Amino acid sequence: MAAMEYKQRTVTCGALRQEDEGKYVVLNGWVHRNRNHGGIHFINLRDRYGITQIVVGEHARDEVRQIAEELRLEYCIAVEGIVRKRPDSMINPNMDTGSIEVDVQSLQILSRCEPLPFMIDEESDAKEDLRLRYRYLDLRSTGMQNRIRLRHEFVKAIREHLSARDFYEIETPTLIKSTPEGARDFLVPSRLYAGKFYALPQSPQLLKQILMVGGFDKYFQIARCYRDEDARGDRQLEFTQLDLEMSFVTREDVLKTIEDLFVEVFAKVMNYSLPTSFRRLSWSDAMNTYGVDKPDVRYDLPLVDIGDIAELIQFGAFQTALAEKGSIKAICAPATDNLAYSRKYIGELEEAAKVYGAKGLAFVKVGKGGVLESGIAKFLVGHETAIIERMKASEGDMILFIAAPWKKCCNSLGAVRTKLARDLNIIDKNRFEFCWIIDFPLFEFNEEAGHWEAAHHMFSMPQAQYIPTLESDPGSVKGDLYDLVLNGYEVASGSIRIHDVELQKRIFRICNFTDEEAESRFGFLLNAFRYGPPPHGGIAPGIDRMVMIMAQQTSIKEVIAFPKNTAAVSPMDDSPSYVDDKQLDELHLLIKQPVKSE
Ligand code: ASP
């Protein structure tokens, strides 16, 4: 069958302006709205570029009028007509094309659309699964169109910036050796070698390090990463990161490279001017002051240690914490008109704290003339001035206390800080505030497994002063690690890497890998390190997460064209799905549990 003949567009639906009056044009697009006012059809025709009003007037040919009658929402059509200026009373200043309309000469239906599962609008208010099942319709919404455009521009600006600075974009394979990097690997069975598997990369970490050994001293890649983790929060099984690595660099060089990159990219893409260098916080300062290692520094509300004052206070929870070498911290919730610190509200704050292990949230209110009222006020008699001064509190403020082991204390009060800021409405949504977190601990103790693990991954360099005591005191070792945080989200992690075989082996051992295991899993990296590896380091900003923040969204699904739902399923194509026995046979696989027929 010959392809359908149709009038191809001469302009898009976002292009026409008053100056185009009188032009003869063809538009292709989707019927966004179709109103019939006393026999005159006003059709809003939409494409990626905008919306143009087209009018089938009283004088239109019968055939055209018939087609106009037939049109339903989201029919894909071709329109031919003449641009005319709208009467003054009909001008729509909210539409780019609002001063014109197209007087239709001919109409052609290119394809029809079934009744819609949801309306296509600025944003869809349909349930997430419905949006994902009909993602092609959801993608037509202005919101999705804008976000996918933003993502494209972001990635393009990154490529331009790095390419202009001698970086090579190099692809690394997505079928690789299974090498644990913290999460569970996705495995791909080999047909040619029964019983053997490839893994999908959790990140190109080892390959980018080997590229450094290969002499490509400035590398980047817009890399897809796969982690087979439980569906939890806003996670996707696959995500995209800007993977970057450089040789002959120090931490300063990596941080500067990223600062320069985002300063330029934000200016270009968001018309937003960032400071030329970003604030830095050590991991312990971030924890102590903000309660988390990814603080939102758009607002202050610092946590304040009052351990020394608490020593003198006969309040059970304080004394227990002190006896257990824990911490006592407080936060000052400022007096405000838009938030009443009722018992009920303090209860809500306490719930937020308990999620992170605090047993309770104590409070006092600052009354007139430095008097502390309600809550634990009676225990604080005699210490009012010390507390008020330490907390920089004033009349009407509420002081909230948590006593717990250090990390729990930080995290719990950090959660109170975050909730308070939201409820106080003091977060400036239009600001982008980056900060670096540096000097992270290199190891974390995994209670379940009963051994030390790398806090980031096993290839990060310990800071030099800790190298002699790695084995004897792993808990105190700080690494040459850095995270980039944006508006309270961790958006990148990176480190200066180990490039010495012996040091790398020591780290494997501390993380409970025998030399044999390490050789069988990571032998290829160790081999490469036997051939003149350069000192190197890198980082990997998450593209989905960053675009999500830039687009002021709270889920990465809003900036990914085809995400999985929270249950790790794609409702559009129903993956994951069963496969034929023949496919399994070829892959030498037997499914343990009989497959239930659907
Ligand atoms: N490979 C690391 C990650 O995916 C990032 C890095 O260290 O460059 O988190």
Side-chain angles (χ1 to χ4, degrees):
M1 203 173 79
M4 175 173 75
E5 295 240 336
Y6 73 99
K7 298 264 190 218
Q8 264 183 299
R9 65 183 171 194
T10 56
V11 290
T12 68
C13 298
L16 296 172
R17 301 287 183 272
Q18 210 164 314
E19 307 80 84
D20 298 305
E21 194 180 356
K23 276 192 191 151
Y24 190 80
V25 292
V26 180
L27 297 136
N28 298 154
W30 288 269
V31 175
H32 188 64
R33 300 285 181 267
N34 183 8
R35 299 174 317 252
N36 182 343
H37 280 301
I40 306 179
H41 285 272
F42 292 92
I43 299 163
N44 277 356
L45 192 68
R46 189 197 68 240
D47 67 10
R48 198 183 114 188
Y49 308 89
I51 292 181
T52 298
Q53 173 161 291
I54 65 169
V55 183
V56 179
E58 281 158 334
H59 54 278
R61 284 180 293 122
D62 279 355
E63 184 203 329
V64 175
R65 296 177 64 77
Q66 254 168 32
I67 298 175
E69 284 297 334
E70 217 191 301
L71 294 182
R72 295 289 171 269
L73 292 184
E74 299 304 313
Y75 273 31
C76 184
I77 63 173
V79 177
E80 196 176 14
I82 292 169
V83 183
R84 69 176 183 218
K85 200 171 155 319
R86 290 194 201 183
D88 282 349
S89 61
M90 306 278 265
I91 287 179
N92 181 349
N94 302 322
M95 248 170 118
D96 287 344
T97 61
S99 59
I100 55 93
E101 57 195 14
V102 173
D103 186 26
V104 177
Q105 309 286 304
S106 85
L107 264 185
Q108 186 187 4
I109 295 176
L110 305 180
S111 67
R112 291 178 161 74
C113 176
E114 297 195 357
L116 291 167
F118 48 82
M119 284 292 279
I120 293 171
D121 238 316
E122 188 67 25
E123 296 289 351
S124 161
D125 55 6
K127 287 244 161 51
E128 184 175 280
D129 256 33
L130 202 58
R131 289 179 60 199
L132 294 182
R133 180 169 305 279
Y134 297 94
R135 190 60 157 179
Y136 34 85
L137 294 177
D138 192 42
L139 286 171
R140 289 182 195 168
S141 68
T142 326
M144 280 309 301
Q145 296 258 322
N146 285 340
R147 292 191 287 274
I148 297 294
R149 175 177 48 77
L150 173 66
R151 184 179 178 122
H152 161 75
E153 282 172 0
F154 182 59
V155 171
K156 177 166 156 251
I158 290 173
R159 286 198 157 106
E160 282 168 0
H161 178 95
L162 293 174
S163 306
R165 282 159 187 77
D166 283 339
F167 279 82
Y168 282 171
E169 181 169 3
I170 306 176
E171 287 168 86
T172 51
T174 47
L175 293 175
I176 64 165
K177 183 181 171 69
S178 172
T179 45
E181 209 186 294
R184 195 178 289 115
D185 276 338
F186 272 103
L187 296 176
V188 180
S190 159
R191 178 180 60 81
L192 296 175
Y193 302 96
K196 291 194 173 180
F197 292 83
Y198 302 97
L200 302 181
Q202 292 182 30
S203 85
Q205 183 61 37
L206 300 188
L207 293 162
K208 71 173 167 177
Q209 291 192 244
I210 294 176
L211 280 173
M212 296 302 112
V213 184
F216 291 105
D217 63 355
K218 287 181 180 179
Y219 142 92
F220 82 97
Q221 178 179 197
I222 306 297
R224 193 63 67 81
C225 305
Y226 303 85
R227 297 183 188 174
D228 189 2
E229 291 177 305
D230 291 337
R232 182 148 54 85
D234 189 32
R235 292 213 184 152
Q236 287 284 307
L237 301 177
E238 52 185 309
F239 59 90
T240 308
Q241 67 187 22
L242 160 62
D243 197 45
L244 188 141
E245 197 77 9
M246 294 188 278
S247 296
F248 311 117
V249 288
T250 61
R251 177 179 81 186
E252 290 312 303
D253 299 310
V254 180
L255 303 197
K256 185 85 182 87
T257 300
I258 292 295
E259 287 170 351
D260 289 351
L261 168 71
F262 288 139
V263 166
E264 185 176 295
V265 169
F266 270 65
K268 241 192 203 171
V269 176
M270 305 288 292
N271 197 17
Y272 189 91
S273 148
L274 288 170
T276 50
S277 64
F278 305 158
R279 181 191 314 201
R280 287 185 198 188
L281 283 167
S282 72
W283 174 80
S284 45
D285 283 349
M287 292 290 287
N288 275 319
T289 314
Y290 301 107
V292 273
D293 57 7
K294 45 181 183 188
D296 190 336
V297 292
R298 283 175 298 176
Y299 56 90
D300 238 1
L301 291 183
L303 319 188
V304 179
D305 199 288
I306 58 148
D308 54 333
I309 305 177
E311 273 179 19
L312 310 170
I313 296 174
Q314 293 312 314
F315 174 54
F318 289 1
Q319 290 307 321
T320 315
L322 288 172
E324 292 167 356
K325 299 222 167 347
S327 300
I328 299 152
K329 288 175 177 286
I331 191 168
C332 178
T336 162
D337 290 339
N338 61 7
L339 197 60
Y341 298 116
S342 61
R343 294 270 166 150
K344 181 167 167 286
Y345 180 67
I346 292 172
E348 286 176 27
L349 292 175
E350 184 165 39
E351 286 313 308
K354 282 183 171 169
V355 172
Y356 292 88
K359 293 221 176 71
L361 181 71
F363 65 93
V364 284
K365 189 169 179 195
V366 184
K368 276 210 172 64
V371 179
L372 295 181
E373 298 166 0
S374 71
I376 60 165
K378 66 171 189 255
F379 297 100
L380 307 183
V381 175
H383 306 285
E384 289 93 339
T385 318
I387 289 184
I388 290 174
E389 275 178 11
R390 175 74 54 88
M391 299 308 298
K392 300 195 172 76
S394 359
E395 190 184 320
D397 294 354
M398 191 62 100
I399 303 175
L400 304 151
F401 306 86
I402 287 182
W406 178 73
K407 204 163 178 196
K408 272 189 191 159
C409 180
C410 296
N411 288 161
S412 310
L413 203 55
V416 171
R417 173 181 179 266
T418 312
K419 179 169 165 54
L420 256 179
R422 251 183 235 141
D423 297 340
L424 285 166
N425 210 2
I426 54 171
I427 308 176
D428 181 350
K429 296 206 165 51
N430 296 315
R431 249 173 72 198
F432 297 103
E433 194 86 31
F434 280 97
C435 77
W436 290 108
I437 311 296
I438 55 176
D439 300 336
F440 275 84
L442 192 65
F443 301 107
E444 263 167 15
F445 195 73
N446 181 332
E447 301 283 347
E448 238 169 82
H451 60 76
W452 292 94
E453 276 178 355
H456 178 37
H457 54 52
M458 292 187 288
F459 315 102
S460 301
M461 186 74 110
Q463 292 182 6
Q465 66 271 35
Y466 299 98
I467 291 183
T469 54
L470 288 183
E471 288 81 2
S472 57
D473 189 8
S476 72
V477 179
K478 295 274 166 35
D480 224 343
L481 300 174
Y482 30 84
D483 272 7
L484 183 63
V485 174
L486 170 58
N487 293 0
Y489 290 95
E490 179 202 315
V491 292
S493 309
S495 60
I496 296 300
R497 324 296 185 186
I498 298 167
H499 64 279
D500 173 78
V501 176
E502 286 316 310
L503 182 57
Q504 185 65 71
K505 282 184 170 171
R506 284 174 66 192
I507 301 287
F508 287 148
R509 278 182 219 123
I510 295 170
C511 297
N512 207 33
F513 283 93
T514 62
D515 283 2
E516 294 71 40
E517 264 172 331
E519 197 58 52
S520 100
R521 300 247 187 175
F522 306 106
F524 65 104
L525 178 75
L526 297 175
N527 281 342
F529 281 179
R530 292 184 175 105
Y531 293 88
H536 59 285
I539 189 165
I543 299 283
D544 312 287
R545 186 66 63 80
M546 285 199 66
V547 179
M548 173 194 95
I549 300 167
M550 291 159 77
Q552 301 195 350
Q553 296 295 309
T554 50
S555 164
I556 57 171
K557 296 189 201 86
E558 297 298 345
V559 299
I560 298 174
F562 299 106
K564 308 274 185 289
N565 67 12
T566 15
V569 166
S570 163
M572 186 177 74
D573 59 12
D574 257 339
S575 68
S577 54
Y578 296 116
V579 296
D580 295 341
D581 285 345
K582 181 161 173 287
Q583 286 174 288
L584 290 175
D585 260 359
E586 281 175 348
L587 294 170
H588 323 280
L589 294 179
L590 206 62
I591 302 298
K592 257 184 166 175
Q593 268 161 358
V595 172
K596 278 192 240 113
S597 57
E598 280 173 279

